């Protein structure tokens, strides 16, 4: 448990020291699948994701470089943190990690509404999701912002192809439908 507290403390210190991120977030245009009231399928920006996902081991190795822990210690802390968070979330608690954000469970019942409260039942649930909301903080003379989204810049995905980012491409054609 002490290791988890230490890990969270290190995470909070690093978030508090966050600087402006120097690389832009790359975006591309995607067209909605459904037309609007005027019959037009509109276009919206969608972030381009890197093909390679960052796993727990990679995070543990990088955090270990910044702390006096081994990658194994950090990975164990992350696993225990996830296990404890899961238990609390499934017990209907909201979990807040100061400096990072809040996690809470949500259910959806798209298109399955009923007329009165007494008819509400679990068969209406179409999906269960864990919702994350980034932490708000108020830097001096800046106003309220979200810790994980501070200091971002954007660049069109075409710039990736011109050699600005040598870490791999995006997820070709994937993206969320902005009309939903």
């Amino acid at each position: 448990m002490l290791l988890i507290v230490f890990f969270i403390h290190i995470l909070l210190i690093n978030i508090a020291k966050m600087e402006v991120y120097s690389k832009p977030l790359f975006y591309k245009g995607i067209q909605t699948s459904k037309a609007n009231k005027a019959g037009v399928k509109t276009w919206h920006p969608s972030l381009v994701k890197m093909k390679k996902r960052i796993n727990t081991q990679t995070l543990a190795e990088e955090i270990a470089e910044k702390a006096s822990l081994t990658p194994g210690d950090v990975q164990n802390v992350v696993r225990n943190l996830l296990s404890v968070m899961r238990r609390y979330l499934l017990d209907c608690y909201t979990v807040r990690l100061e400096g990072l954000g809040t996690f809470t469970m949500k259910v959806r019942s798209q298109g399955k509404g009923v007329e009165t409260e007494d008819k509400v039942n679990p068969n209406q649930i179409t999906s269960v999701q864990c919702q994350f909301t980034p932490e708000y903080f108020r830097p001096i003379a800046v106003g309220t912002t979200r810790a994980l989204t501070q200091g971002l810049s954007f660049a069109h995905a075409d710039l990736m192809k011109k050699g600005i980012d040598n870490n791999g491409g995006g997820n070709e054609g994937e993206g969320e439908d902005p009309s939903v």
Side-chain angles (χ1 to χ4, degrees), residues 19 21 39 136:
E19 300 171 9
Y21 190 68
Y136 281 102

Side-chain angles (χ1 to χ4, degrees), residues 50-174:
M50 293 297 128
K51 288 183 179 178
K52 182 179 178 187
R53 291 184 184 189
I54 303 301
N55 61 23
T56 307
Q57 180 63 36
T58 303
L59 289 174
E61 289 170 3
E62 193 165 328
I63 291 168
E65 289 176 10
K66 299 176 184 236
S68 58
L69 299 170
T70 68
D73 289 339
V74 174
Q75 196 165 19
N76 189 37
V77 169
V78 171
R79 270 193 234 108
N80 287 325
L81 176 65
L82 295 175
S83 173
V84 171
M85 282 180 61
R86 181 179 190 276
R87 179 174 53 88
Y88 277 110
L89 288 168
L90 295 179
D91 284 344
C92 296
Y93 286 91
T94 295
V95 176
R96 179 174 175 238
L97 298 179
E98 287 81 8
L100 183 63
T102 303
F103 298 83
T104 190
M105 298 301 288
K106 299 281 186 182
V107 295
R108 295 191 188 269
S109 60
Q110 272 184 310
K112 294 195 168 204
V114 292
E115 294 177 11
T116 60
E117 184 179 358
D118 62 325
K119 292 183 180 179
V120 172
N121 68 73
N123 294 331
Q124 293 174 260
I125 297 172
T126 57
S127 69
V128 179
Q129 299 170 336
C130 180
Q131 178 181 318
F132 172 70
T133 305
E135 184 79 12
Y136 281 102
F137 74 100
R138 191 177 299 272
I140 298 173
V142 173
T144 302
T145 187
R146 292 191 180 210
L148 296 177
T149 58
Q150 174 186 354
L152 299 178
S153 63
F154 300 91
H156 196 278
D158 289 345
L159 294 176
M160 289 175 69
K161 297 173 187 163
K162 294 179 182 176
I164 288 183
D165 183 5
N166 296 322
N167 293 328
N171 57 351
E172 303 301 321
E174 291 184 32

Side-chain angles (χ1 to χ4, degrees), residues 6-82:
F6 179 70
F7 171 73
I8 292 172
H9 179 71
I10 289 171
L11 181 65
L12 296 179
I13 288 171
N14 287 329
I15 288 174
K17 293 179 183 176
M18 270 198 272
E19 300 171 9
V20 174
Y21 190 68
S22 61
K23 290 172 69 177
L25 293 174
F26 290 101
Y27 69 92
K28 64 181 178 183
I30 61 165
Q31 192 173 28
T32 58
S33 58
K34 296 179 183 178
N36 62 16
K37 291 178 183 177
V40 177
K41 292 184 177 181
T42 56
W43 289 80
H44 301 270
S46 177
L47 293 180
V48 176
K49 306 288 187 244
M50 293 297 128
K51 288 183 179 178
K52 182 179 178 187
R53 291 184 184 189
I54 303 301
N55 61 23
T56 307
Q57 180 63 36
T58 303
L59 289 174
E61 289 170 3
E62 193 165 328
I63 291 168
E65 289 176 10
K66 299 176 184 236
S68 58
L69 299 170
T70 68
D73 289 339
V74 174
Q75 196 165 19
N76 189 37
V77 169
V78 171
R79 270 193 234 108
N80 287 325
L81 176 65
L82 295 175

